[in-house]
Every structure is written in C-alpha cells, then in structure tokens.
Amino acid sequence: MSHAIIAPLGGGVQPRLEINTLVHDNRQFSLYIQALTKMQQVDQALTPSFFQVAGIHGLPFVTYDGAVGQNGFTANPNNQWAGYCTHGSTLFPTWHRPYVMLIEQIINQHAQQIAGTYTTSDKNEWIDAATKLRQPYWDWAQQIVPPPQVISMNQVEITAPDGSRRNVTNPLIRYTFQRIEAGYNFPRPYNRWKTTLRQPDSTAANAKDNVPRLISILQNSQRDVTADTYTTLTTVHDWRQFSNHDPTFGNGNSIESVHDNIHVLVGGNGDMSDPSVAAFDPIFFLHHANVDRMISLWSALNPGVWLTAGNAQLGTYTLGYNQSVGASTPLTPFWKSQSSFWLSTDVVDINALGYTYPEFQNVNTADQNALKTAIGQYVNATYGPQSPVMTGRRSGSSRRDLGDLFGRHGGNKRRHHELASRVLGGGRLGQMLGDIFGGRGGTYSDWNVRVEFDRMEVGRSFSVIFFMDSVPEDPQEWLTCDQFVGAHHAFVRGTDSCEACANGMKTREEGFVSLNHHIADKSDLLSFAADLVAPLLGKKLQWRVLSTDGKVIDLKSLQVTVLEVPLHLSPGAYLPTVGKVVSWQNITQGRNGGSY
C-alpha cells in the first residue's frame, strides 16, 4: 500500500503564529478556519480525515496508514495502552513533533486548494497566505484563557472566496463526530456525546460546555502554569527529567507534566482530560503546537541535549509494555518515506522541518551562544518572576515601588510596610531577595512541592490540589478559590476498558507545584528565608485529591514533600543556576499523603 508521507512544507521557513495573533490576520485566519472545516468534513474512514488523524493518539486503537510495530506487533488495548502516542516516555517530545506536522500539512493542503478558488483582485495574496500558513499555537504560559474564537464563539467571521464577509460554523470550538460506531469501543460518556466537550456540565447525552467555569479555572491557574513553565525551561537541563513525568527526583516539572496540567484544566470531565479521546478536541493541536514551541525554547537553552534512551512504560500501539526506546525507535505512524518512519534524530532542527516560532525569527540560530542569550532573555522577560504575567502590574510602577522600598523610604517603617504590601500584591517578592535587582545578582530560595504517586490508582485523570490556609467545603470550588496555590494534574486513560491497567500495571509519576508566587501574595513575609517560610508552610499548606468526575480521592500512593531550591543569579545574568536542593520532609510528615 502507498503511505501518506510527511514532509517539510513549501514556501520557506514560516512562523507558526500564536492563536491570539492568528485571529487578527484576516487572510490566514479565514483560510485556517475553512481548511480545518474541510478536514473535519472528510469522511472519517479516510486517512486524511480529522477523525483518523485525531485517532492516532488514542481511540479507536486501530492501525493508521499501515503502521505496525516490529514483527507486525500491534497492542491489545485490554492489556496495555494502545494509542500510538508515547506518554511517560523519553520519546514524548519527539513523537508529538511529526504529529503536529501531519495536521499542519493537511491543513496547508486544504488552504492552498481553497485559496485557489478566490475570485477577488487580491487572489495572489490569498495564495501566498495559504502557502505560508502553519499550525497556530496557544501560549497558555502567557495568556491561558484562549480567545473567544477558540472557546465560546459558535460562529466566526471570515472572508469567503468571493470576497464577502460571512459568519461560518466555528471548527475550533468543538469537533462533531460523523458517527461513533460500536467497534470503536468509546467508553461512557464519550460514546453518547456527539461532540467533544470542555468542562462539561454533566455526563448526559445532552451535556454542554461550561465555558464560565472553564474560564474561571484557567484564570485561577495562570500564574501556577507560568511559574511551572519557567522552572522547567530554566532549571531542568537533563533530557530524561525534561521529557516525561517518570520520577527522576529532580527540582522541576517535565514538559510532559506541564502538558498534562493543561489537558486536565481544559477538559475537566470532558475529552481533553482523557488520552484516549483528547486529540478529537481541536484545541489539542493548538496546545501541542505550544508544547512543541516549549521544546524548541528549551533546546535553545540546552544546546546539544537531545533524546536519551528509556522505556515505553505502558507501551503504545506499536511498542510493548516497558519496551526499551531510543534514537533508533521509529516514531510510528509517521512515514518519512514509503519504507521508513521519522526518527527522533530527524526532528531536532525545526528550520529543516519548514517552520519556526516568532521568538527565533530575528536570531542567528546557527550561533548557539547568541541563540541561547536571546531565548534566555525572552524566557526571563515573558515567564520569569519579573514578567507581566507573574506581577500582574505595569513594570514601571513596580520598579518605582521597589526603588522606594530599598531607597529613600527604607527607614520609614510605616511607608516601608505600605510599599511592601504593594510589591507583594504585584507578586514581586522574589525580586526583593538577595539584592538581585538592577543586575547586581544574588541568591534566593524557590519553594515548591514535589508530588509522587501511582498514576493508575484512581482509574481516570485526577488532580492533587494545594491550598494555603483553609480548604473550601465544596470540592467544586477547589480550583477557583482564593486559597488555591496550584495543582499537579494526572492525565490518565480511564481504566474501565483496560483490565491490565486497572489490576496489574504500576506507573509512578512525579510533578512539582511552585509556591513562591502565592507566598508572596498571601503572606506578609518579606523574605523567602527558610526560618520564615518553613513554619508558614507547616501551619498553612494543605492538599486534597479530586478526580475529574468530582469525587474526593484518598490517594494511598501519594507522597508530598516540600523542596527549597536555591536559585543564584549572577551579576548581569538573565537566567538562574540551581544550588543544592533541600528537602523539608518534616513539613508534611505525619499527614495523609505526606513525606515518608
């Protein structure tokens, strides 16, 4: 049989645009909406259909484009994970790269065909826009609530081929299944939903998206997500720790853990929270394009660090349970030629793959030192402790407050506390420590919580949620309350359709939750010194476990440990270096789920 080959797109190296930028680019947005609609309308039995491409990730656990494993191996979904995706593996970052390239290629092909039908005087501009069109990304670390065109608008306005402005059905807000056949084995509630759903209001057949709740949850998680992303990009330097959520006893989240958190925050009890069906939600590919971008940013900060060997954990459709994987492992089902698949070593350089990201456009990517400096400055300014996301304030007023705090008002106790309160309200406490301001450098403590557990214990996705002070009685308020600090979300396939997953497989997972921003905002401490922070956390830090179906869980395998991570910023430097991590086990020992 002939296979669909994934190849770099024509038109030169073009940037993938952030979705908030794309929606304001009339030509590319109009083409993207029409192309995605066209792809969703292709009969789902055909390989280039949205259903088939989304189904690569998980259900319906069938062969895609003739791709099978060594000696014809295909997984039995009753015994192991049987989607093609490589979660919990060192292949996680590299496997998803050609996956996004695949949908990008199909979208681009549809866009070029559509552009050719324009009858307006600027037809050539439409053809050029189609040639340059790439898959957009959603930068949740900078703006976690997507634009209305992604989460709330049932129709969007585009420019049609005849030049008229039209409202059309929005293909980004949901995917409507053409049919869900019995042989697909979709479990409940997905087998009775005609569309994908986000934070659904029930599991009934007529369930709807709960958009206000989705927005509230995302807004309350913004700084948690941003802080975790910054830590991953700047303090994790080993591929094994960076690539996946398998425990490494490090000091920061893997990119997979950051990715998992977004899945569960968006999905709730809906599709995005279950690996089996997550890819059917169109937001999945916006999300994964940004994961790919984060991999690119991390690679620029860690030149020469790429794939290391590991194992496949729960396996995939073409890899057995705990099978060894490495650089020579085919990234199935993504064909590079009629006889071979893409490999992890093929996807190191995104320029060679025909796309880039805006942060790389004005940088000499061939100069590793210049690239590392430019990306380091960008990451620090966009996601770091001084970034607008973390401060929530205009940088000018914050700088004035800091200058006053350590300058002319330093001896005025009343004025000092007034300014300190304003700085704390802006989330700037981390910048007040160690005399690191103004490029002078210094050291401060980055406090976080490390969690570890057996991800298969609950049998579905769940969240380990942290609070400072009291915990609301209603679990539905846990992700939206003021006491919320952050959470680690386990992205888990429902085990009701996998007997071995439920009864035999044990898979440990670790994650980290940043505490500094909440300590700064919710306490009157003027330092992250251990003698101040440790007693505060011992008294006020609380946690609960909640499954995506709203049930409070007693997670027997949970282990919670508070870590103090010294971060040193050299004079004039833009990124911190990590000192010796201190484990404060006594803060959580003796409590349910506490440190052993």
Side-chain angles (χ1 to χ4, degrees):
M1 64 179 295
S2 178
H3 304 296
I5 306 303
I6 302 174
L9 294 176
V13 178
Q14 299 297 331
R16 290 176 175 172
L17 300 182
E18 209 280 331
I19 187 61
N20 286 280
T21 299
L22 184 76
V23 297
H24 295 294
D25 185 320
N26 176 45
R27 289 195 180 95
Q28 289 212 342
F29 181 67
S30 296
L31 290 168
Y32 182 75
I33 290 296
Q34 293 175 90
L36 181 57
T37 299
K38 199 77 170 177
M39 184 181 179
Q40 291 180 358
Q41 291 172 343
V42 172
D43 189 278
Q44 66 185 44
L46 301 178
T47 299
S49 67
F50 185 85
F51 180 87
Q52 288 281 326
V53 172
I56 289 171
H57 195 264
L59 284 165
F61 301 142
V62 296
T63 303
Y64 179 83
D65 198 15
V68 296
Q70 189 175 13
N71 299 320
F73 173 83
T74 57
N76 181 342
N78 293 318
N79 296 330
Q80 66 167 74
W81 170 245
Y84 281 99
C85 69
T86 55
H87 289 277
S89 161
T90 57
L91 296 178
F92 170 79
T94 58
W95 183 89
H96 285 84
R97 183 157 276 182
Y99 192 20
V100 178
M101 287 174 63
L102 173 59
I103 193 169
E104 181 173 65
Q105 178 172 290
I106 296 172
I107 291 289
N108 183 273
Q109 290 169 349
H110 283 301
Q112 292 198 53
Q113 292 170 357
I114 293 166
T117 68
Y118 273 70
T119 58
T120 55
S121 60
D122 60 350
K123 178 177 181 177
N124 288 338
E125 283 83 355
W126 285 93
I127 292 174
D128 182 62
T131 302
K132 295 177 178 177
L133 181 64
R134 299 294 186 265
Q135 169 63 32
Y137 65 92
W138 160 41
D139 186 6
W140 24 255
Q142 186 172 23
Q143 189 168 341
I144 198 168
V145 178
Q149 292 89 340
V150 175
I151 60 171
S152 60
M153 296 176 64
N154 288 312
Q155 290 193 321
V156 290
E157 188 178 28
I158 65 166
T159 298
D162 63 0
S164 64
R165 296 290 288 171
R166 297 181 187 175
N167 287 320
V168 298
T169 300
N170 183 5
L172 280 170
I173 196 170
R174 64 182 62 89
Y175 170 62
T176 300
F177 293 93
Q178 297 172 11
R179 55 190 179 276
I180 299 179
E181 299 175 2
Y184 292 164
N185 295 315
F186 276 42
R188 295 181 68 178
Y190 313 115
N191 61 354
R192 54 187 177 187
W193 288 347
K194 295 181 180 180
T195 71
T196 54
L197 293 171
R198 303 167 189 161
Q199 290 288 341
D201 55 12
S202 75
T203 58
N206 62 348
K208 304 293 183 184
D209 292 336
N210 189 339
V211 177
R213 177 166 175 79
L214 171 62
I215 292 173
S216 180
I217 287 174
L218 291 177
Q219 287 176 332
N220 212 37
S221 298
Q222 175 70 82
R223 290 202 295 163
D224 177 36
V225 169
T226 304
D228 288 345
T229 301
Y230 179 73
T231 300
T232 300
L233 291 175
T234 61
T235 70
V236 176
H237 304 292
D238 172 76
W239 180 266
R240 184 166 174 262
Q241 184 185 354
F242 170 74
S243 64
N244 71 97
H245 51 223
D246 194 32
T248 61
F249 302 94
N251 57 275
N253 276 311
S254 66
I255 188 61
E256 184 176 20
S257 290
V258 176
H259 145 277
D260 292 350
N261 291 343
I262 298 299
H263 267 282
V264 179
L265 287 170
V266 171
N269 202 27
D271 297 81
M272 271 287 280
S273 290
D274 190 326
S276 300
V277 293
F280 292 109
D281 188 328
I283 204 172
F284 174 96
F285 292 100
L286 299 178
H287 169 40
H288 270 276
N290 194 50
V291 172
D292 183 82
R293 172 174 163 270
M294 292 297 172
I295 295 165
S296 299
L297 295 174
W298 185 87
S299 294
L301 298 176
N302 297 274
V305 182
W306 199 240
L307 184 79
T308 55
N311 66 68
Q313 280 205 2
L314 295 179
T316 73
Y317 190 73
T318 56
L319 295 171
Y321 175 60
N322 268 338
Q323 180 176 329
S324 297
V325 297
S328 62
T329 303
L331 302 179
T332 54
F334 309 120
W335 295 96
K336 189 179 182 184
S337 70
Q338 289 298 331
S339 59
S340 64
F341 297 101
W342 284 83
L343 302 176
S344 297
T345 50
D346 297 326
V347 295
V348 179
D349 181 9
I350 60 174
N351 287 314
L353 303 178
Y355 69 91
T356 186
Y357 294 101
E359 300 78 28
F360 295 86
Q361 284 190 281
N362 298 315
V363 183
N364 179 8
T365 57
D367 184 336
Q368 288 187 347
N369 289 331
L371 178 62
K372 183 175 181 179
T373 298
I375 296 303
Q377 291 172 339
Y378 170 82
V379 166
N380 204 44
T382 309
Y383 309 120
Q386 291 180 315
S387 66
V389 177
M390 295 306 293
T391 62
R393 310 175 70 234
R394 292 180 299 176
S395 59
S397 61
S398 296
R399 281 195 296 269
R400 286 193 297 272
D401 287 349
L402 285 166
D404 286 349
L405 182 61
F406 291 102
R408 61 182 181 274
H409 294 294
N412 184 322
K413 186 174 181 179
R414 179 177 178 181
R415 180 61 171 154
H416 177 91
H417 283 291
E418 177 186 341
L419 288 168
S421 177
R422 286 167 59 182
V423 171
L424 289 170
R428 301 296 297 272
L429 184 57
Q431 301 159 42
M432 296 162 54
L433 305 176
D435 200 26
I436 65 173
F437 310 106
R440 288 175 289 181
T443 300
Y444 68 98
S445 295
D446 184 36
W447 292 85
N448 61 60
V449 178
R450 179 185 182 272
V451 298
E452 184 180 340
F453 48 77
D454 173 14
R455 66 194 312 267
M456 305 308 296
E457 180 179 334
V458 178
R460 64 183 307 120
S461 293
F462 60 92
S463 305
V464 183
I465 308 170
F466 290 89
F467 311 85
M468 288 288 279
D469 219 341
S470 61
V471 179
E473 292 185 6
D474 184 358
Q476 288 298 301
E477 298 178 9
W478 287 357
L479 290 172
T480 59
C481 67
D482 288 341
Q483 302 96 305
F484 172 81
V485 173
H488 177 76
H489 305 276
F491 180 44
V492 183
R493 170 197 177 186
T495 55
D496 57 343
S497 59
C498 178
E499 182 178 354
C501 299
N503 298 326
M505 295 180 176
K506 303 294 183 183
T507 305
R508 302 296 293 182
E509 175 178 327
E510 77 172 354
F512 299 82
V513 177
S514 298
L515 300 177
N516 275 21
H517 61 281
H518 198 88
I519 294 171
D521 287 354
K522 301 299 182 180
S523 78
D524 58 0
L525 301 184
L526 295 180
S527 168
F528 284 135
D531 59 344
L532 297 177
V533 174
L536 174 73
L537 297 179
K539 180 180 180 181
K540 293 193 173 184
L541 184 66
Q542 308 285 335
W543 60 88
R544 299 289 188 274
V545 181
L546 187 69
S547 65
T548 50
D549 60 354
K551 295 179 181 177
V552 179
I553 303 297
D554 179 13
L555 193 63
K556 302 296 185 183
S557 60
L558 179 63
Q559 183 177 355
V560 174
T561 307
V562 173
L563 300 182
E564 179 189 7
V565 183
L567 296 180
H568 178 73
L569 197 68
S570 299
Y574 47 85
L575 293 176
T577 56
V578 181
K580 185 177 181 180
V581 178
V582 179
S583 176
W584 286 83
Q585 294 179 318
N586 62 309
I587 292 178
T588 61
Q589 275 179 340
R591 300 164 64 182
N592 189 24
S595 182
Y596 297 164

